Amino acid sequence: MGVMPIDKLIMSMSLPIMISMLVQALYNIVDSVFVSKISENALTAVSMAFPIQNLMIAVGAGTAVGMNALLARSLGQKDYDKVNKVAENAIFLAILSYLLFLIIGLFFVEAFYLSQTDIEEIVVYGKEYMTICCCMSFGIFTQLMFERMLQATGKTIYSMYTQGIGAVVNIILDPILIFGVFGLPAMGVTGAAVATVIGQIVAGVMGVYLNHTKNPEVKIQMKGFRPAKDIIIQIYEIGIPSIIMQAIGSVMNYGMNRILISFTSTATAVFGAYFKLQSFIFMPVFGLNNGVIPILAYNYGAAKRERVIKTIKHSIVYAVSIMVIGLLAFQIFPKTLLLMFEASEMMLAIGIPALRRISLSFLLAGFCIACSSVFQALGKAVYSMLISVARQLIVLLPVAYGLAQLGNVELVWWAFPIAEMISFVMTIFFMIRIYRKIISQI
C-alpha cells in the first residue's frame, strides 16, 4: 500500500469489494422482486423493515470501519501487537452488537410496524420478516467484521468471495423458500427472511475461515481475552460517527415512510423499490470507499502526503463516474426498473417521477461519499457524521414534510436533491479544513 501505483492500488483494493457489493445489491433487488410477486403489501412490509435492517448494518459496519482504519494504521506503523488486539476487541464488540438486535427482534418488531401503519396484512408480513432477520443476525455481524479485517490487510479479493457466496446462496434460496420448490412448503415472506439469514451465516463462516487461513498479519487468540478499554475507545472514536451517520439513514427512512404512507401505501412501496434500485449504484461507490480507507490510513500513518493526495483525487473521479451511469439509468429507464417489482399503474405513476427527481442528487452524492473516506481514514469521521445529520435530518425530512403539506406526492421527491446540495457545500468546507489542518502538515 505504500509503493504500488495509486490507480493500480485503488483498483486492486476496491474492485473486489465493488464486485462483491454489486452482487450484494443484486440479491437485495432479487429479494424484493420475489417478494413483490406475493403482493404489493408484502413488498411494502419488506420496505418498511429497512430502518431496522439499516440500523443493524450501521452498527456492524460502523464498528468494522473503526476496526479497519485502526488496524490499517497500526500496520502502517508496524505495531503488530496492537493489530492483533484491535481484531480481538472488534470480535467482542460484534458479539455485543448481535445481542442488542436479538433483544429488538424478540420484543420490539410489532411495535415498530404499528408505529408506521395500521394495515394488518403489512404488520403481519413485517413481523414475520423482521423477527427472523434480527434474531438470526449473528451472521451479518460476523460477515462484516471479518470482511473488514481482510480489507484492512489488503486482501480484498477474499472479501469478494465472502459477499459473493452469501449473495448467491440467498438468490438461490429465495424462490425455493418463498414459493415452495423441490417439495418444500411455500413460506412466503418468512422464506425471504430465512434465505437472507442463511446467506449471511454462510458468508460469516467463510469470512472466519479465510481470516484463519489467508490473513497471517492478523493473529486472533480469544482464549483468556479481556476487553481493552483504550482500544475499544479508539475503535469507536472512528466507528461511532460512522454508526451515527448510517443510523441516521434509518431515522430518515422511517420518517419518509410515515410521510409517504399518508398519501398511499403504494408511495411507500415506491420508496422501498427506489432504495433497492439505488443500492445497485451506491454499493459500488461504497465498495470504492471501503477500499480507499485503508490506503489513505496506511499512507497517512507512513507520512506519505503525495500518495494521500493522489488517492483522494482519483477516488473522487471514480465515484462521480459511477454516479453518472446511475443518473442516466434512472433518467432513461425508470419504467423498466419499476416493472421489475410487478409495478401497478398507480405505482408507475408515482414511481417514474420519483426515480427521475431523486437521481438528480447522484453526482453530488458521489463526491460526498468519496470525501467521507478521507474523513474516516484521517481520524475525522465526525465530519461525515455532521454532514449526514444535516442532509438527512435537518434538511431532508423537514423539507419533505413541508412539501407533503402541499398535497402532491410528486413534490416530496425534490427534497432529495435539495438536501444533497447542502451536504455538498458542507463537504467542500470540511475538505478545505482537513487539507489545511492535516494533509498539508504530513
Side-chain angles (χ1 to χ4, degrees):
M1 287 196 283
V3 296
M4 185 184 289
I6 292 299
D7 278 320
K8 183 179 179 182
L9 179 60
I10 290 176
M11 286 298 101
S12 66
M13 290 287 288
S14 299
L15 195 57
I17 309 174
M18 293 166 69
I19 292 172
S20 63
M21 295 189 85
L22 267 174
V23 176
Q24 192 98 0
L26 176 62
Y27 97 69
N28 284 335
I29 292 174
V30 170
D31 204 47
S32 290
V33 166
F34 284 126
V35 168
S36 69
K37 295 182 184 300
I38 301 172
S39 70
E40 189 175 288
N41 277 345
L43 176 61
T44 302
V46 172
S47 300
M48 285 183 167
F50 181 82
I52 290 182
Q53 287 182 302
N54 185 65
L55 182 62
M56 191 184 302
I57 294 172
V59 172
T63 305
V65 162
M67 179 274 299
N68 186 328
L70 185 59
L71 198 153
R73 192 182 307 166
S74 300
L75 283 170
Q77 296 166 342
K78 313 298 182 185
D79 189 348
Y80 300 111
D81 183 57
K82 186 174 182 180
V83 167
N84 299 330
K85 289 181 179 178
V86 169
E88 291 163 5
N89 280 272
I91 293 170
F92 169 71
L93 296 175
I95 294 170
L96 294 183
S97 300
Y98 163 64
L99 294 176
L100 170 64
F101 283 91
L102 175 62
I103 293 170
I104 291 173
L106 291 173
F107 301 110
F108 298 106
V109 170
E110 185 173 7
F112 168 75
Y113 272 92
L114 288 172
S115 71
Q116 297 181 84
T117 181
D118 58 0
I119 300 174
E120 185 178 356
E121 188 177 37
I122 293 176
V123 174
V124 170
Y125 280 142
K127 187 177 179 182
E128 290 177 14
Y129 184 80
M130 272 317 304
T131 299
I132 293 171
C133 288
C134 287
C135 292
M136 301 296 288
S137 61
F138 58 85
I140 188 64
F141 288 111
T142 304
Q143 176 187 348
L144 288 168
M145 196 58 68
F146 283 92
E147 280 177 357
R148 293 305 191 277
M149 287 183 198
L150 291 164
Q151 292 168 18
T153 57
K155 297 175 178 62
T156 55
I157 186 68
Y158 295 122
S159 66
M160 182 180 75
Y161 295 161
T162 60
Q163 287 200 17
I165 191 67
V168 169
V169 168
N170 192 338
I171 291 170
I172 292 172
L173 290 180
D174 260 335
I176 295 173
L177 298 180
I178 291 173
F179 304 115
V181 182
F182 305 127
L184 294 174
M187 299 171 67
V189 171
T190 299
V194 173
T196 295
V197 298
I198 290 176
Q200 292 169 350
I201 292 168
V202 170
V205 171
M206 174 82 64
V208 173
Y209 171 76
L210 289 173
N211 267 277
H212 180 68
T213 58
K214 306 293 185 182
N215 208 7
E217 290 91 341
V218 181
K219 297 179 176 62
I220 299 171
Q221 176 57 263
M222 299 303 291
K223 185 177 180 180
F225 168 79
R226 294 289 183 276
K229 181 180 177 181
D230 58 330
I231 288 178
I232 290 174
I233 289 173
Q234 290 178 69
I235 289 174
Y236 278 132
E237 281 177 349
I238 302 169
I240 284 181
S242 181
I243 291 171
I244 293 173
M245 185 173 63
Q246 294 184 70
I248 286 167
S250 295
V251 178
M252 181 276 293
N253 196 279
Y254 178 82
M256 286 298 297
N257 284 341
R258 293 285 299 269
I259 291 168
L260 292 170
I261 207 164
S262 66
F263 291 97
T264 167
S265 62
T266 302
T268 305
V270 166
F271 188 53
Y274 158 73
F275 255 90
K276 300 294 184 179
L277 291 167
Q278 63 93 29
S279 69
F280 208 69
I281 309 301
F282 278 74
M283 282 293 196
V285 181
F286 289 134
L288 174 70
N289 197 39
N290 288 336
V292 165
I293 286 173
I295 297 173
L296 290 170
Y298 183 96
N299 285 284
Y300 174 50
K304 296 187 177 183
R305 181 175 64 178
E306 190 174 319
R307 288 179 65 81
V308 169
I309 294 173
K310 195 171 183 179
T311 301
I312 294 170
K313 290 180 178 178
H314 289 223
S315 64
I316 290 173
V317 170
Y318 293 141
V320 173
S321 298
I322 293 169
M323 286 300 192
V324 169
I325 298 171
L327 173 63
L328 293 174
F330 275 59
Q331 292 296 321
I332 299 171
F333 307 113
K335 182 176 180 180
T336 304
L337 294 172
L338 288 167
L339 285 174
M340 294 167 56
F341 301 92
E342 306 290 320
S344 63
E345 288 300 319
M346 185 177 182
M347 189 171 174
L348 289 173
I350 295 173
I352 289 173
L355 264 58
R356 285 180 171 154
R357 291 174 185 177
I358 296 174
S359 63
L360 295 174
S361 64
F362 281 7
L363 299 186
L364 298 181
F367 175 84
C368 294
I369 293 169
C371 291
S372 73
S373 67
V374 182
F375 304 150
Q376 292 170 24
L378 303 188
K380 295 294 182 181
V382 67
Y383 292 169
S384 296
M385 181 188 71
L386 293 174
I387 293 168
S388 189
V389 168
R391 181 171 67 87
Q392 299 189 76
L393 298 187
I394 298 176
V395 180
L396 179 59
L397 282 181
V399 170
Y401 179 78
L403 292 173
Q405 303 314 299
L406 300 176
N408 185 349
V409 70
E410 291 190 11
L411 296 176
V412 175
W413 312 118
W414 285 109
F416 286 87
I418 291 170
E420 205 61 59
M421 278 296 302
I422 301 300
S423 69
F424 176 74
V425 172
M426 291 183 67
T427 299
I428 293 290
F429 171 79
F430 285 129
M431 280 297 292
I432 293 172
R433 183 180 178 87
I434 209 168
Y435 178 81
R436 290 176 177 171
K437 299 278 188 181
I438 297 177
I439 297 173
S440 66
Q441 304 300 318
I442 297 176

